[in-house]
Amino acid sequence: MKINQLKSILWSQFGASIDMLHNAISLCPENVWDNEKKFWYNAYHCIFFLDYYLTPNPVNFAPPPPFDESEFEDRMPSRTYSKSEILEYLRYCREKCKTLIHGLNQESVQQHWINQSKTMDYNVVEILLYNMRHVQHHAAQLNLLLRQEIDDAPRWVRHAKDIV
């Protein structure tokens, strides 16, 4: 498989996973956002790790403001993030993902993503697939919460809305 074909396939499917997450977050009504099921927190957790796993050298990772590293400390953030803040963070990560994938070449796909504790060591393509699975897992959880709370959920997304 040629690298351009791989990049196109990766973006088509990873972008679709991110778009599904976006659709679930967008559909969430205000009265469900911060109820006992913590829809907002599940969305935030997913996006935080989306960002982290997209960072080529994760030792240097820091989320953009106003977000903090509470996810690494096994504690809730100090406040509830608004839907607009979460969607903006997701937009930022979507662009980061697209840029990373479109920048892949024969050399970069051989590089490894290794977390600080060295408990995770994946080549770039594998960490992208791992990350995509994580996003899809949480998008499905959020869709389930929406079904339980409002009897509605977004439709399946077949591929990213901006395939190149």
Side-chain angles (χ1 to χ4, degrees), residues 106-163:
Q106 292 292 353
E107 294 170 14
S108 65
V109 296
Q110 302 302 317
Q111 294 174 347
H112 276 247
W113 185 96
I114 305 169
N115 66 348
Q116 190 166 6
S117 66
K118 299 188 181 0
T119 56
M120 297 175 73
D121 182 346
Y122 298 112
N123 78 24
V124 170
V125 173
E126 189 172 7
I127 193 63
L128 284 169
L129 293 175
Y130 181 95
N131 197 355
M132 181 172 60
R133 288 178 45 240
H134 184 254
V135 169
Q136 197 60 50
H137 168 78
H138 286 290
Q141 284 183 324
L142 295 175
N143 283 335
L144 175 63
L145 287 175
L146 290 171
R147 281 272 176 226
Q148 292 171 339
E149 297 291 320
I150 65 171
D151 195 28
D152 196 9
R155 299 178 64 85
W156 180 260
V157 176
R158 290 180 25 183
H159 53 76
K161 60 185 172 195
D162 56 348
I163 297 177

Side-chain angles (χ1 to χ4, degrees), residues 12-46:
S12 174
Q13 294 306 306
F14 205 148
S17 294
I18 294 170
D19 292 344
M20 289 184 73
L21 179 62
H22 178 274
N23 293 346
I25 294 168
S26 295
L27 185 60
C28 183
E30 205 54 45
N31 66 316
V32 175
W33 187 251
D34 191 23
N35 68 15
E36 68 280 350
K37 294 183 181 175
K38 300 288 185 210
F39 187 100
W40 75 270
Y41 176 71
N42 286 295
Y44 170 67
H45 163 86
C46 180

